[in-house]
Amino acid sequence: MGKIKDDLNVGLKAEKTVKPILEKLFGALTKTENQYDNFDFTNYKYYVEHKERFINFGQYDSLYLEKCKYDKYLMLKEKNPQLRFFAVWSCRNGRYIWEFNDDTTQFYSKYNMRLDRGTHTQSSNVICILNEYISPFSDYERVVVKKSKKSKK
């Protein structure tokens, strides 16, 4: 159980650190109340999931998210097509961003097993978003702001 608690603490600390940075882009964000929610932050316009990864971006062909987060995106987007959804990864060599969308060629699915949890094996279905569709967070204007202006026309 120690490893899971450690991971949760690392995630909570990272969320506190990254929240002010995310708010510069997305406006005031509310931290979701349940630590197991599909998204970490939300407001009237955006849902944002943050992941802390102790790897360099580009070390693998993709960055992954649990598939349940993509399924939740599909459900919420159907209810309100105006909402936008983002994943932000903090890696060793920078922060990276991807906007959830319906283009399933941007990722592949796989079954992921973790054996390093200390007390049990953790398994989940994940989507692996290909690096070519993930942008440096510093390009946020191109990723978020310019798209917002286009959608208003």
Side-chain angles (χ1 to χ4, degrees):
M1 195 69 166
K3 178 70 172 146
I4 295 170
K5 279 188 176 182
D6 290 347
D7 285 353
L8 286 172
N9 288 334
V10 166
L12 290 172
K13 183 178 177 185
E15 288 166 9
K16 285 180 185 175
T17 301
V18 81
K19 186 175 185 260
I21 296 163
L22 297 176
E23 288 180 324
K24 288 178 184 174
L25 173 58
F26 298 109
L29 293 168
T30 301
K31 171 78 178 98
T32 52
E33 291 182 24
N34 183 337
Q35 66 185 2
Y36 299 108
D37 277 341
N38 288 301
F39 294 91
D40 296 315
F41 305 101
T42 186
N43 63 21
Y44 68 97
K45 197 173 178 181
Y46 301 109
Y47 279 80
V48 182
E49 172 65 3
H50 177 258
K51 291 294 185 190
E52 183 84 6
R53 297 288 186 240
F54 298 101
I55 59 168
N56 285 325
F57 178 76
Q59 188 171 332
Y60 300 100
D61 70 336
S62 60
L63 293 173
Y64 73 86
L65 293 169
E66 294 79 10
K67 185 175 181 304
C68 63
K69 296 176 189 309
Y70 189 77
D71 295 341
K72 185 72 168 187
Y73 148 76
L74 292 172
M75 185 188 79
L76 292 170
K77 189 73 172 176
E78 187 175 318
K79 289 180 182 179
N80 183 352
Q82 302 304 313
L83 290 172
R84 295 177 69 192
F85 300 78
F86 293 88
V88 175
W89 293 270
S90 293
C91 298
R92 286 185 181 148
N93 58 345
R95 238 174 236 104
Y96 298 87
I97 187 169
W98 176 71
E99 185 168 6
F100 284 69
N101 62 74
D102 298 339
D103 181 1
T104 58
T105 65
Q106 292 188 10
F107 60 83
Y108 59 91
S109 299
K110 74 175 190 174
Y111 188 72
N112 193 42
M113 288 190 75
R114 291 192 63 175
L115 305 173
D116 64 342
R117 290 308 207 184
T119 59
H120 69 285
T121 300
Q122 180 182 1
S123 59
S124 60
N125 288 316
V126 298
I127 60 168
C128 302
I129 298 93
L130 297 166
N131 291 343
E132 65 192 87
Y133 300 106
I134 299 171
S135 300
F137 191 78
S138 58
D139 288 351
Y140 70 88
E141 283 191 5
R142 182 180 59 78
V143 177
V144 180
V145 178
K146 288 183 182 173
K147 274 192 177 180
S148 292
K149 288 178 182 176
K150 283 182 185 177
S151 65
K152 290 179 183 178
K153 291 181 181 179

